[in-house]
């Protein structure tokens, strides 16, 4: 009545605990070590070969036994007929089988039995040294009971052995029966010897086969082990901690594409090459991203610092005027220096704000171009676009010589007129900014097959080879400096490349001292058909 729960029965607690213990014991059981592929192949090859050899040995022994038995039966039939004919005079004389056998030259292991009417059967055989030994009454009875009415057969007599026997009738009126037997010891010995030989050869062959198979499989699987070792070494490299190169490869000898296993090694090497290239690209992208963040931070920090400085200067001048205690209208009329300083500060703030706005807009444009936005396609005459761009730049670069090389026919493309004009303007501004006065800049437009080409050539000092490969990267500058005398933010050429690539084209640069050419290649629209009369 206290409200406390009753304890669980002991039996129930033991039952609940049993599955957990059983599960633990099951988990603790050691798992059988799996066989390797080499062991499986060796066991399979040796087992199948052993079965084949055993079947061959048994079949060969059976066939050979039948052949020997057939030969023995044929010889026995001839010998039985000969001995029956030779035994007729001896039977008339009342001689026993022992006496008759002693009178005839026979091979060791020959059995001879005679049944006369009337009379008791007699039998004898010759042992290995040619001696004639009579059979006992029990042995004779065993022989008689083992012989059927007719036909050769095999009989076994205690203490003597196994014989193949055959009978012939002889004597007066063929009333006597002569039984001749030949020992089967030679046949059994021949078959046993053959089985022993086959067994020894099979055992030796299997040992040799196992060794040769093991060597062959081991040599054949060497590329797989090389692949596994290479993969293990690669897995130990700290790729998640900044490693940017994988030097491990499967040895060339183990990656022969002419073999099936070698193709695995070659495939792993190809995979590692791709991973290595991907890591290198990742590293370059990370470095570019760090550089991009640093450059963007610097470009934004400079105008922000100017805005902050000029705003503090304006605020300080305003507070100083307030401390004089004069009314605002009087201060506006008499404190001309404060007004001039404040106006100049506000102008600088505005200029830096515009510069920062331009930078942010360029960054947004690059981001949108990367996403496939910001383009409105229409028909664009690349010739007219080049003429307009050169006309605009002549006003800003009167110290340069501007040459226009275009044909009479328009070069039409499908694109965004405003963005393509921005490309041409960026290339011309780049030539004006990075070349001294007096430089000749030539702008050419041409159609080459299905491609429209815009070229901007100058005979200025050229592009520094150290920065040529990354000239179209973001925040890249030809002089590697942050000085404002040689350009803006370093986004012009990267924006140009993004616009050109968004149109399915390409932009490139070839530069030597006195010979620099920027080339834009864009897909051209098909030419209009010629008018027919």
């Amino acid at each position: 009545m206290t409200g406390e729960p009753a304890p669980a029965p002991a039996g129930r607690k033991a039952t609940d605990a049993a599955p957990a213990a059983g599960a633990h014991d099951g988990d603790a059981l050691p798992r059988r070590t799996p066989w390797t592929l080499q062991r499986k192949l060796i066991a399979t090859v040796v087992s199948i070969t052993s079965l084949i050899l055993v079947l061959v040995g048994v079949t060969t022994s059976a066939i050979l036994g039948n052949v020997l038995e057939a030969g023995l039966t044929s010889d026995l039939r001839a010998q039985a007929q000969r001995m029956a004919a030779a035994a007729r005079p001896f039977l008339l004389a009342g001689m026993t089988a022992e006496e008759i056998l002693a009178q005839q030259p026979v091979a060791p292991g020959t059995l001879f039995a005679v049944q006369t009417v009337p009379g008791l059967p007699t039998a004898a055989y010759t042992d290995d040294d040619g001696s004639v030994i009579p059979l006992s009454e029990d042995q004779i009875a065993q022989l008689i009971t083992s012989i059927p009415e007719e036909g050769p057969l095999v009989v076994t007599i205690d203490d003597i052995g196994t014989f193949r026997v055959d009978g012939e009738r002889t004597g007066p009126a063929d009333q006597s029966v002569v039984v001749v037997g030949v020992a089967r010891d030679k046949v059994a010995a021949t078959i046993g010897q053959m089985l022993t030989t086959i067994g020894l050869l099979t055992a030796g062959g299997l040992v040799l086969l196992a060794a040769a198979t093991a060597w062959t499989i081991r040599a054949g699987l060497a590329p797989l082990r090389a692949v596994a070792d290479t993969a293990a070494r690669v897995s130990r490299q700290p790729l998640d901690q900044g490693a940017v190169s994988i030097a491990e490869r499967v040895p060339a000898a183990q990656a022969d594409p002419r073999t099936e296993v070698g193709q695995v090694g070659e495939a792993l090497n190809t995979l590692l090459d791709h991973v290595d290239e991907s890591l290198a690209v990742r590293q370059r992208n990370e470095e570019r991203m760090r550089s991009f963040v640093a450059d963007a931070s610097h470009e934004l920090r400079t105008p922000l610092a100017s805005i902050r400085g000029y705003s503090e200067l304006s605020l300080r001048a305003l507070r100083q005027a307030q401390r004089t205690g004069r009314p605002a209208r009087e201060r506006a009329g008499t404190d001309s220096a404060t007004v001039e300083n404040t106006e100049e500060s506000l102008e600088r703030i505005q200029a830096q704000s515009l510069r920062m706005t331009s930078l942010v807009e360029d960054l947004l444009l690059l981001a949108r171009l990367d996403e496939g936005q910001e383009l409105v396609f229409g028909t664009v005459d690349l010739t007219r676009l080049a003429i307009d761009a050169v006309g605009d730049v002549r006003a800003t670069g009167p110290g340069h010589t501007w040459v226009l090389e275009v044909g009479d026919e328009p070069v039409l493309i499908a694109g965004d007129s405003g963005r393509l004009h921005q490309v041409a303007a960026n290339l011309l501004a780049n030539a004006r900014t990075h070349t001294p006065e007096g430089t000749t800049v030539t702008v050419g437009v041409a159609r080459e097959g299905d491609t429209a080409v815009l070229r901007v050539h100058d005979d200025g000092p050229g592009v520094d080879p150290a920065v040529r490969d990354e000239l179209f990267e973001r925040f890249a500058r030809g002089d590697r400096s942050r000085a404002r005398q040689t350009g803006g933010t370093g986004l012009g050429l990267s924006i140009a490349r993004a616009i050109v690539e968004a149109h399915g084209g390409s932009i490139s640069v070839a530069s030597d001292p006195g010979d620099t050419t920027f080339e834009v290649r864009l897909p051209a629209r098909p030419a209009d058909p010629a008018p027919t009369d």
Side-chain angles (χ1 to χ4, degrees):
M1 300 299 293
T2 59
E4 297 179 358
R12 181 176 180 180
K13 180 182 294 185
T15 302
D16 294 340
H24 179 74
D25 293 339
D27 294 340
L29 291 176
R31 297 181 59 186
R32 186 178 63 180
T33 303
W35 279 23
T36 62
L37 178 60
Q38 178 175 342
R39 184 181 297 180
K40 290 180 180 178
L41 291 176
I42 293 176
T44 301
V45 171
V46 171
S47 299
I48 294 176
T49 306
S50 300
L51 178 61
I52 294 174
L53 292 178
V54 169
L55 293 177
V56 169
V58 172
T59 304
T60 303
S61 300
I63 294 175
L64 179 61
N66 292 333
V67 171
L68 293 177
E69 291 289 348
L72 187 63
T73 301
S74 177
D75 293 343
L76 176 63
R77 170 68 63 179
Q79 186 175 0
Q81 292 176 353
R82 185 180 66 256
M83 292 185 68
R88 286 181 181 179
F90 297 109
L91 291 175
L92 293 176
M95 298 177 65
T96 63
E98 178 183 359
E99 295 172 341
I100 296 173
L101 190 61
Q103 297 297 325
Q104 297 188 25
V106 295
T110 301
L111 175 68
F112 185 74
V114 177
Q115 171 68 55
T116 59
V117 179
L120 296 174
T122 60
Y125 75 97
T126 57
D127 59 8
D128 294 337
D129 58 1
S131 301
V132 179
I133 302 175
L135 269 66
S136 65
E137 293 181 359
D138 294 337
Q139 291 174 335
I140 293 174
Q142 188 176 6
L143 173 63
I144 293 174
T145 57
S146 301
I147 298 176
E149 290 295 331
E150 60 183 11
L153 74 161
V154 177
V155 298
T156 301
I157 301 176
D158 293 341
D159 300 330
I160 297 178
T162 302
F163 296 85
R164 178 168 287 279
V165 298
D166 194 7
E168 285 288 332
R169 291 186 176 273
T170 188
D174 291 335
Q175 294 182 350
S176 299
V177 177
V178 173
V179 176
V180 179
V182 179
R184 296 182 66 253
D185 295 342
K186 292 183 179 180
V187 175
T190 301
I191 295 176
Q193 184 179 4
M194 187 187 69
L195 290 176
T196 301
T197 304
I198 291 176
L200 293 176
L201 291 177
T202 300
L206 290 177
V207 172
L208 181 61
L209 175 65
T213 303
W215 181 86
T216 303
I217 294 175
R218 184 176 183 83
L221 296 181
L224 287 181
R225 286 189 289 271
V227 169
D229 294 340
T230 302
R233 292 193 298 271
V234 171
S235 67
R236 291 192 290 269
Q237 290 190 352
L239 299 179
D240 58 339
Q241 300 178 7
V244 296
S245 178
I246 301 178
E248 299 293 342
R249 294 292 186 277
V250 179
Q254 308 297 340
D256 190 347
R258 295 173 295 180
T259 63
E260 293 82 354
V261 181
Q263 291 174 3
V264 178
E266 184 188 32
L268 180 60
N269 283 344
T270 303
L271 175 62
L272 292 177
D273 290 339
H274 291 328
V275 173
D276 204 15
E277 293 175 0
S278 299
L279 291 174
V281 172
R282 185 195 70 178
Q283 177 69 11
R284 289 195 298 269
N285 289 339
E286 290 179 354
E287 292 176 354
R288 290 173 181 173
M289 182 60 66
R290 286 193 292 267
S291 177
F292 173 81
V293 172
D295 289 338
S297 301
H298 177 83
E299 295 295 339
L300 291 174
R301 183 179 61 184
T302 301
L304 286 175
S306 299
I307 292 173
R308 178 180 177 182
Y310 285 114
S311 62
E312 289 179 352
L313 180 61
S314 301
L315 184 59
R316 187 182 304 113
L318 185 59
R319 288 176 177 173
Q320 182 179 1
Q322 289 177 347
R323 283 196 295 270
T324 61
R326 290 175 291 176
R329 287 178 297 177
E330 184 179 352
R331 291 198 306 271
T334 58
D335 199 352
S336 59
T338 301
V339 172
E340 292 177 358
N341 290 336
T342 302
E343 183 178 359
E344 182 181 359
S345 298
L346 294 176
E347 290 176 353
R348 296 299 299 170
I349 290 173
Q350 183 183 22
Q352 295 298 332
S353 299
L354 292 174
R355 180 182 167 200
M356 187 167 57
T357 301
S358 176
L359 173 62
V360 172
E361 288 178 351
D362 287 344
L363 293 175
L364 289 175
L365 174 60
L366 283 172
R368 290 169 181 169
L369 289 173
D370 290 341
E371 296 174 359
Q373 302 177 8
E374 287 295 319
L375 294 180
V376 179
F377 280 83
T379 301
V380 180
D381 183 356
L382 198 60
T383 301
R384 172 53 56 185
L385 186 144
I387 293 173
D388 294 341
V390 171
D392 294 338
V393 79
R394 275 181 177 148
T396 59
H400 289 67
T401 301
W402 303 95
V403 178
L404 187 62
E405 294 180 351
V406 295
D408 297 333
E409 296 295 330
V411 178
L412 302 180
I413 63 173
D416 188 320
S417 176
R419 294 305 177 194
L420 290 175
H421 186 276
Q422 184 176 359
V423 171
N426 280 337
L427 294 178
L428 296 176
N430 185 69
R432 175 181 55 82
T433 303
H434 294 283
T435 58
E437 292 187 358
T439 300
T440 299
V441 181
T442 304
V443 180
V445 176
R447 182 187 180 103
E448 298 178 357
D450 295 333
T451 303
V453 182
L454 170 66
R455 293 186 178 90
V456 178
H457 174 270
D458 68 73
D459 55 2
V463 180
D464 184 359
V467 300
R468 186 182 306 160
D469 294 337
E470 58 185 35
L471 197 60
F472 296 98
E473 300 297 332
R474 298 173 186 183
F475 294 106
R477 295 192 185 89
D479 60 356
R480 294 272 189 175
S481 69
R482 299 184 187 275
R484 293 296 160 259
Q485 292 83 356
T486 57
T489 62
L491 294 176
L493 291 179
S494 61
I495 292 175
R497 183 181 68 173
I499 294 174
V500 171
E501 291 179 350
H503 282 79
S506 63
I507 184 171
S508 61
V509 60
S511 180
D512 289 313
D515 183 13
T516 299
T517 302
F518 284 83
E519 183 178 85
V520 176
R521 305 181 72 86
L522 296 167
R525 289 185 53 182
D528 294 333
T532 57
D533 295 336

